[in-house]
């Protein structure tokens, strides 16, 4: 079994089996973190270019650590000091990177579909690290991996994604992935933050977290993008926090073993209270750790493979 | 990508022979070890683990000592990740004891090119500094590509490159049997 793709562009394009393969592969990678030497020689000689057109701390660092722990070389392209500021197009930047013989390009871009464009243009493996409001597949995978690790299953779990669904690539990747693995997915947000296409995505839509919290196994809380507040998509942050914010009071009605997740960065006191973020129900820091394992698994599985058959025994 | 079928040529070892061989190997390991108490077995995924487990049980039976047992998956240390058609599934490596100062007995089912053992030694060293690493294999089929030789051999059985030795163990294959196979006609 291998990934039948050159690139990882989104969970929408992966089969259930492929998602399961990535999750299964991530597990032994996580074991590496407990060793004194956290590095293996698997991708020695490979080059991973990190091309981030948007700011990022955890995703970029996570990919960089994942690549380095597999012994790949990494190159960070800082867009603010690159030829992009001189007007170079995305495709030309990608072609330049290809000419430098990179094996992987990890790209984050504010434009949905950016990763798809360069995946069609160059031969290196492209990993989508977030494209506009479209997908963030490795975040989706690490969220699913974390749930699986804590709950031992995905099928049949009631999982709510709460917050700005409209602008969230994390939400879309989660919905695609969780649906394929058989979870019951709920989205909870103000009506103005629910995209029209949500009704085709096999999810239950709700407008008040309090009404469904009792039946949830997992709440994945999304960041309220304050930078989008100029669009006035809901009246005030206080009102949002009152109806959609997850705090200890609301959790009184929740299952005792409910998991609290957040892809970060958090707005404490808005979408999540500090006591919930730091509680034992929260797996937010574990999501960060698991992110490295999942990204190592993705890099490993996408590594170029060609040539003859080899048996694992007799060697 | 190989499209050739493997045809069974002959049975090299029966269940009884495997049991007898492992008993002899356990005795040899005990006899040739200066300090049995410092031995730790590490089985290489997949069948090396079960052979190591059986050796552990035999050593316990003979000496009364329970030696530690680790599991090693060398996939991430392979030197052929870029030249194989299917990405090997990464399995578990679990060494829950400190390898430093130990006499590591590395155990595998078949020794062929020596590349797996090279990778295994690299991985073990990432866990610490063992006093010694020795190699025990059920079958040595020759054909080495690296200068690696086993210290304990169940059976030496030279083969051609077209041939393959398959070790079946009850734990995962429902029977104990070692068979020689050869690449035959094209698969349908």
């Amino acid at each position: 079994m291998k990934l039948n793709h050159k690139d990882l562009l989104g969970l929408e394009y992966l089969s259930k089996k492929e998602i399961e393969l990535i999750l299964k592969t991530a597990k032994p990678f996580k074991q590496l973190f407990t060793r004194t030497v956290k590095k293996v020689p698997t991708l020695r000689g490979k080059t991973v270019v990190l091309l981030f057109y948007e700011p990022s701390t955890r995703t970029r660092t996570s990919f960089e650590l994942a690549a380095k722990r597999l012994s790949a070389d990494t190159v960070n392209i800082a867009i603010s000091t690159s030829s992009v500021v001189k007007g170079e197009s995305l495709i030309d930047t990608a072609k330049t990177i290809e000419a430098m013989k990179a094996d992987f390009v990890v790209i984050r871009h504010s434009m949905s579909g950016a990763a798809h464009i360069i995946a069609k243009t160059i031969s290196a493996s492209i990993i989508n690290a977030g494209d506009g409001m479209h997908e963030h597949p490795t975040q989706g995978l690490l969220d699913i991996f974390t749930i699986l690790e804590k709950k031992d299953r995905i099928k049949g779990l009631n999982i709510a994604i709460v917050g700005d669904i409209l602008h969230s690539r994390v939400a879309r990747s989660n919905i695609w992935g969780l649906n394929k693995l058989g979870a019951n997915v709920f989205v909870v947000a103000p009506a103005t933050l629910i995209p029209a296409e949500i009704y085709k995505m096999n999810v239950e839509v709700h407008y008040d977290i309090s009404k469904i919290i009792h039946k949830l196994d997992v709440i994945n809380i999304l960041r309220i993008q304050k930078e989008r507040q100029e669009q006035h998509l809901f009246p005030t942050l206080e009102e949002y926090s009152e109806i959609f914010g997850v705090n200890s009071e609301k959790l009184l009605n929740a299952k005792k073993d409910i998991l609290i997740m957040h892809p970060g960065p958090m707005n404490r006191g808005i979408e999540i209270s500090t006591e919930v973020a730091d509680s034992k129900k929260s797996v937010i820091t574990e999501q960060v750790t698991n992110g490295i394992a999942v990204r190592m698994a993705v890099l490993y599985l996408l590594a170029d493979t060609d040539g003859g058959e080899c048996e694992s025994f007799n060697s | 990508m190989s499209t050739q079928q493997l045809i069974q040529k002959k049975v090299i070892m029966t269940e009884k022979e495997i049991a007898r061989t492992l008993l002899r190997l356990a005795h040899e390991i005990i006899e040739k070890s200066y300090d049995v108490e410092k031995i730790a077995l590490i089985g290489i995924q997949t069948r090396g683990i079960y052979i190591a487990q059986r050796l552990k049980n035999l050593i316990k039976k003979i000496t009364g000592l329970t030696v530690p047992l680790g599991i090693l998956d060398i996939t991430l240390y392979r030197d052929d990740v870029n030249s194989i058609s299917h990405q090997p599934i990464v399995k578990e490596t679990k060494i829950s004891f400190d390898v430093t100062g130990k006499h590591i007995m590395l155990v595998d089912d078949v020794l062929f090119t020596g590349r797996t053992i090279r990778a295994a030694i690299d991985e073990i060293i990432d866990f610490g500094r063992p006093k010694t690493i020795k190699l025990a294999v059920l079958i040595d089929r020759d054909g080495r590509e690296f200068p690696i030789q086993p210290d304990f051999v169940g059976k030496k059985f030279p083969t051609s490159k077209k041939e393959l030795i398959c070790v079946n163990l009850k734990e995962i294959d429902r029977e104990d049997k070692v068979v020689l196979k050869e690449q035959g006609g094209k698969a349908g």
Side-chain angles (χ1 to χ4, degrees):
Chain A
M1 175 77 190
K2 61 180 281 191
L3 285 184
N4 291 315
H5 305 274
K6 172 176 84 71
D7 316 290
L8 178 69
L9 302 177
L11 298 193
E12 183 182 358
Y13 321 101
L14 292 187
S15 67
K16 182 184 175 212
K17 279 196 170 174
E18 286 170 322
I19 293 172
E20 285 170 344
L21 174 68
I22 297 171
L23 299 172
K24 191 177 165 190
T25 306
K27 214 172 164 187
F29 278 114
K30 195 177 174 187
Q31 287 176 344
L32 283 178
F33 304 169
T34 58
R35 297 192 196 174
T36 320
V37 178
K38 296 178 182 61
K39 198 167 175 162
V40 289
T42 318
L43 294 188
R44 199 168 46 196
K46 299 277 183 190
T47 306
V48 180
V49 172
L50 303 163
L51 184 61
F52 277 64
Y53 285 81
E54 278 186 348
S56 165
T57 308
R58 69 198 71 213
T59 305
R60 192 182 49 74
T61 311
S62 181
F63 267 112
E64 188 164 359
L65 274 176
K68 283 183 169 165
R69 285 182 183 174
L70 288 168
S71 299
D73 298 312
T74 58
V75 179
N76 267 290
I77 298 183
I79 292 305
S80 59
T81 54
S82 74
S83 291
V84 172
V85 293
K86 298 178 189 167
E88 186 174 67
S89 73
L90 174 64
I91 289 175
D92 283 342
T93 303
K95 281 183 176 168
T96 304
I97 292 167
E98 182 178 44
M100 291 173 179
K101 308 295 176 200
D103 300 288
F104 298 92
V105 178
V106 180
I107 179 171
R108 169 168 288 188
H109 202 285
S110 57
M111 188 177 75
S112 301
H116 294 247
I117 290 170
I118 69 163
K120 282 181 193 162
T121 310
I122 66 174
S123 59
S125 282
I126 309 301
I127 301 174
N128 181 3
D131 60 332
M133 299 189 289
H134 181 221
E135 280 225 45
H136 190 352
T138 54
Q139 181 69 45
L141 288 164
L142 78 88
D143 289 344
I144 298 169
F145 180 85
T146 307
I147 299 168
L148 196 58
E149 198 178 42
K150 296 289 172 187
K151 298 283 186 188
D152 269 336
R153 69 189 170 106
I154 298 295
K155 197 173 180 183
L157 290 181
N158 293 329
I159 301 171
I161 304 165
V162 184
D164 186 352
I165 311 293
L166 179 66
H167 300 105
S168 176
R169 49 200 176 207
V170 175
R172 283 171 182 79
S173 288
N174 265 270
I175 293 168
W176 289 118
L178 290 167
N179 266 335
K180 283 179 184 173
L181 298 184
N184 307 313
V185 185
F186 301 76
V187 295
V188 189
T192 46
L193 293 179
I194 301 272
E197 79 268 15
I198 204 81
Y199 298 97
K200 297 177 195 161
M201 293 181 80
N202 189 28
V203 297
E204 260 189 46
V205 181
H206 291 268
Y207 305 102
D208 188 346
I209 182 74
S210 303
K211 290 189 178 160
I212 57 161
I213 202 161
H214 61 279
K215 58 179 169 185
L216 298 178
D217 298 295
V218 180
I219 306 182
N220 198 354
I221 305 162
L222 303 177
R223 180 175 72 92
I224 274 300
Q225 302 181 24
K226 289 189 216 166
E227 63 272 23
R228 297 191 197 275
Q229 267 313 288
E230 288 162 10
Q231 298 170 26
H232 301 296
L233 292 166
F234 52 85
T236 63
L237 288 174
E238 289 72 21
E239 187 187 295
Y240 180 88
S241 182
E242 181 71 27
I243 302 171
F244 301 97
V246 179
N247 55 34
S248 306
E249 201 183 322
K250 286 188 184 132
L251 286 184
L252 290 174
N253 297 322
K255 290 183 183 175
K256 280 186 180 166
D257 61 348
I258 193 165
L259 283 190
I260 303 295
M261 305 175 75
H262 194 303
M266 290 182 277
N267 294 307
R268 288 173 182 258
I270 300 176
E271 71 262 9
I272 187 167
S273 68
T274 288
E275 68 266 26
V276 170
D278 299 334
S279 72
K280 284 184 180 168
K281 298 179 193 303
S282 161
V283 288
I284 295 166
T285 51
E286 281 164 274
Q287 285 174 264
V288 178
T289 307
N290 290 341
I292 302 172
V294 164
R295 288 169 180 128
M296 287 173 84
V298 168
L299 287 166
Y300 170 75
L301 290 167
L302 289 178
D304 181 32
T305 55
D306 52 59
E309 183 94 357
C310 174
E311 293 291 344
S312 61
F313 45 89
N314 287 201
S315 55
Chain B
M1 177 86 68
S2 171
T3 53
Q4 296 207 313
Q5 279 181 324
L6 288 171
I7 296 163
Q8 184 170 322
K9 281 180 80 178
K10 72 187 263 191
V11 174
I12 299 170
M13 288 175 99
T14 62
E15 183 179 346
K16 275 187 183 169
E17 284 169 317
I18 291 173
R20 207 163 49 226
T21 303
L22 289 178
L23 182 62
R24 174 175 56 78
L25 278 177
H27 276 289
E28 276 185 30
I29 289 167
I30 295 160
E31 280 167 23
K32 291 185 181 170
S33 300
Y34 295 111
D35 197 350
V36 184
E37 288 183 358
K38 282 194 178 167
I39 288 179
L41 295 163
I42 294 181
I44 299 176
Q45 291 267 19
T46 303
R47 286 163 184 79
I49 299 167
Y50 303 111
I51 294 172
Q53 178 67 57
R54 291 190 195 185
L55 287 173
K56 176 184 168 152
N57 296 343
L58 290 166
I59 291 169
K60 163 102 174 154
K61 210 170 167 182
I62 299 162
T63 65
L65 289 171
T66 304
V67 296
L69 173 66
I71 294 171
L72 199 68
D73 176 60
I74 55 94
T75 306
L76 299 173
Y77 287 74
R78 290 172 72 132
D79 58 10
D80 57 359
V81 164
N82 300 322
S83 61
I84 50 180
S85 61
H86 65 284
Q87 198 71 292
I89 301 283
V90 185
K91 294 179 188 156
E92 186 183 36
T93 286
K94 195 175 179 185
I95 300 176
S96 48
F97 52 86
D98 185 4
V99 300
T100 302
K102 289 269 191 316
H103 293 287
I104 300 294
M105 189 61 60
L106 191 57
V107 182
D108 205 0
D109 55 350
V110 180
L111 175 61
F112 182 33
T113 62
R115 288 176 189 269
T116 296
I117 304 305
R118 193 281 309 163
I121 294 168
D122 277 357
E123 185 164 7
I124 290 169
I125 288 168
D126 276 354
F127 277 85
R129 189 176 186 278
K131 187 92 175 160
T132 59
I133 299 178
K134 299 210 169 186
L135 176 62
V137 295
L138 184 64
I139 308 278
D140 175 3
R141 65 169 282 195
D142 241 341
R144 222 73 78 237
E145 292 169 7
F146 283 1
I148 283 168
Q149 298 303 329
D151 300 282
F152 303 96
V153 180
K155 191 178 181 91
K156 204 166 164 56
F157 197 90
T159 53
S160 78
K161 286 209 165 182
K162 271 187 169 183
E163 292 168 323
L164 193 77
I165 289 177
C166 294
V167 175
N168 296 323
L169 297 173
K170 273 181 187 164
E171 291 89 335
I172 46 169
D173 307 305
R174 285 185 289 181
E175 61 172 355
D176 277 358
K177 193 163 75 175
V178 181
V179 292
L180 178 69
K181 292 186 176 180
E182 190 177 48
Q183 288 179 342
K186 295 270 178 188

